[in-house]
Amino acid sequence: MLYFLLFNERKASTVVPIEYPFCWISTNDSPLSRSKRSTLSPACFSIWLIPNFNDPIVFVLCLNNPESSLSTKLLHTEEMDTGLCSSYWDAIGAFDYAAANRIIARALRAYQTLGNMLARLSNCENLYTQLSFLKPKWYYVRKETLHSLYFYLAEDAEKEISTLEVSPHAMNLADISVALEALQSIINVCRARQTLITIYQSIGAAQNSAGFASVLNELEAFKQKFDGLSNERLGLLGLGITKEISILQSLLKARQAIIDYAFQESCISLFICKQQLNEWKTACQERDFAEKSTLAGQSDAKELTSSPSWRAIIFGGSNDPPKHGEIWPHYIRWLTKYFDNLIAKMTLYFNTILLAKERILTEDDPEKALWKGIKNDYYDHICTYKKRLGAHCIGLIYEVTPSVPFHPQGYVISGTSYEAPQGIHSFPFIFCHPSQPPKEHLPNIISIIQGSRNKLNDPKGGPVFFYDKMINQSYYLSQVDEHVILIVIYLERHVHREAGTTEFMTDMVISLRGTSVIGDLSRVDY
């Protein structure tokens, strides 16, 4: 039996057993022509030229033993150094898989086993950034889940570390520590991704604040564990994982702070989220590494810093990095979309607080100025439907509970004593259009809320409808969060639920709850 060792500048080295003296070697489905063959001899080796190949020359070495010293030396034509590994981590972290593939080809010539593992990791990372593990089962036809692929890869890396530690000179590596560090880094990435896959799945399955609080606790424990590892060597990929964890934490903290009407905490969490997203995108575009590709439409992601408005600092707008369309992978676009959703929700919930600031700067229609640059304009949506439906009032009522203190200004100085609102004051309007809340309707609204707990708390139920025949007025109520209720009031009789009102309220609730954004995690066409 003879063996062929095939390698070139771009392709992976391979050892191919053949039957002496005849064989066909195929590259790009083009067999080696008989005219180009040298006479084979078990005692020597030959160098062949393969025609119809993009590279100038492909060398084929014929040897009796693929494990011979000559075979091993020729296979290790590239040194496995820290620079090569660093470039790989940066390429993967920048989602430059073309560059990663070129680096992998070099790694294969230096250390084939490690190169194969890096290729497997690239494939896993590509699938991860598409959030493929959340897609319907029929969308990807494969036997193993992505979680399992990471598990098997980490397991193989651990076995290879054991092999190198037992026989450090078996691979003829110039510096075995580089290989050991790279293998340990693969294990760290795989373990991190396994945890993050579970976290994303938990976010998709969470139905209430208790579910999201559990996810947040898991994230905080994972962050401490990941920060405790030596991940500096992971370069841009390690930075990306750190930013991803921080962004997810900030999003979930902001979500709960908005629900609890905590204005200060909401602002801080959303600001951190925006800052982390910008820093991550900027690092991806500015980091230089070997084999880096030039992406079409890629431009500088630095934020503009000239005269930012108070809203732009938190909400974004004209100071955001330039838009890059589809160059960002699915999971970054989803994180950005969830951020935009919470920005719009915060603007609606804290409309009274924010509008007071906007009136200082804008005299002409401050309501519209407040919503300028915010992608999901709830104010315009509410105004349009109120006019179309002929409603008397559309508003949001916050139900104060003993478990969560409520402060109309959204925050309180530390050490200040708290006195809970009583009576009808424990059901304040936090948003109303028109701006003057219809307080004369509060007794009726409170009565409907207290008498319709089960219906309001049913996440699949539609708006609660009530017609007061004594005053000839119709009320529609929908529970948005555990504290906030959306109401629509008509000064007229509705014999049955009005279809347009039901549709409007259902769409508003789905959007404000974030149900539609969470659903985008598993959308096939997103």
Side-chain angles (χ1 to χ4, degrees), residues 135-365:
K135 298 290 190 294
K137 292 182 179 180
W138 55 263
Y139 186 69
Y140 287 100
V141 182
R142 60 163 37 91
K143 294 181 180 179
E144 295 93 2
T145 63
L146 184 57
H147 190 281
S148 298
L149 293 177
Y150 277 118
F151 174 81
Y152 296 139
L153 178 54
E155 200 173 53
D156 290 344
E158 289 174 342
K159 292 177 182 177
E160 187 65 17
I161 288 175
S162 299
T163 300
L164 285 178
E165 289 175 341
V166 172
S167 305
H169 303 294
M171 291 289 101
N172 279 345
L173 295 172
D175 187 356
I176 191 173
S177 64
V178 175
L180 290 173
E181 284 183 0
L183 290 166
Q184 185 59 53
S185 295
I186 290 174
I187 294 170
N188 291 349
V189 171
C190 290
R191 298 296 183 230
R193 291 307 193 201
Q194 286 178 282
T195 302
L196 284 168
I197 285 171
T198 303
I199 287 171
Y200 277 109
Q201 290 171 336
S202 299
I203 291 174
Q207 298 292 331
N208 49 42
S209 289
F212 284 102
S214 177
V215 176
L216 186 56
N217 291 335
E218 188 177 355
L219 262 172
E220 290 175 346
F222 171 57
K223 185 179 186 299
Q224 292 179 0
K225 181 178 179 181
F226 187 76
D227 290 345
L229 301 174
S230 300
N231 290 310
E232 296 82 4
R233 66 176 71 97
L234 285 175
L236 195 53
L237 179 59
L239 175 68
I241 295 174
T242 301
K243 295 292 186 186
E244 182 181 3
I245 296 169
S246 177
I247 291 166
L248 283 170
Q249 279 185 299
S250 299
L251 288 172
L252 296 184
K253 286 180 179 179
R255 176 194 175 278
Q256 191 58 48
I258 294 169
I259 290 173
D260 293 340
Y261 207 73
F263 178 66
Q264 188 175 31
E265 287 81 356
S266 302
C267 289
I268 293 171
S269 295
L270 288 174
F271 174 76
I272 291 173
C273 181
K274 176 177 178 285
Q275 188 178 49
Q276 296 293 313
L277 272 169
N278 285 333
E279 289 177 359
W280 188 5
K281 292 178 180 181
T282 300
C284 287
Q285 294 184 312
E286 293 185 347
R287 183 71 62 94
D288 289 324
F289 48 86
E291 308 289 352
K292 184 175 182 178
S293 304
T294 302
L295 298 178
Q298 193 177 68
S299 58
D300 192 4
K302 287 184 179 179
E303 286 192 274
L304 304 176
T305 56
S306 58
S307 303
S309 69
W310 70 272
R311 289 190 307 111
I313 293 174
I314 300 175
F315 299 146
S318 60
N319 293 330
D320 275 347
K323 302 298 183 291
H324 299 285
E326 298 300 314
I327 73 164
W328 299 119
H330 185 164
Y331 77 141
I332 287 187
R333 284 184 282 134
W334 181 81
L335 292 170
T336 304
K337 189 170 184 178
Y338 199 7
F339 170 78
D340 291 337
N341 174 268
L342 291 176
I343 285 292
K345 181 174 181 176
M346 175 187 174
T347 307
L348 184 66
Y349 276 35
F350 300 108
N351 182 78
T352 303
I353 298 171
L354 295 172
L355 200 55
K357 294 182 177 292
E358 195 64 42
R359 286 197 174 103
I360 298 174
L361 304 174
T362 308
E363 295 181 1
D364 185 21
D365 206 346

Side-chain angles (χ1 to χ4, degrees), residues 376-386 504 507-508:
N376 196 349
D377 191 339
Y378 287 124
Y379 178 75
D380 181 69
H381 190 52
I382 289 171
C383 290
T384 300
Y385 267 86
K386 179 183 178 298
F504 161 72
D507 291 344
M508 283 288 293

Side-chain angles (χ1 to χ4, degrees), residues 50 210 240 398:
I50 297 183
Y398 186 95

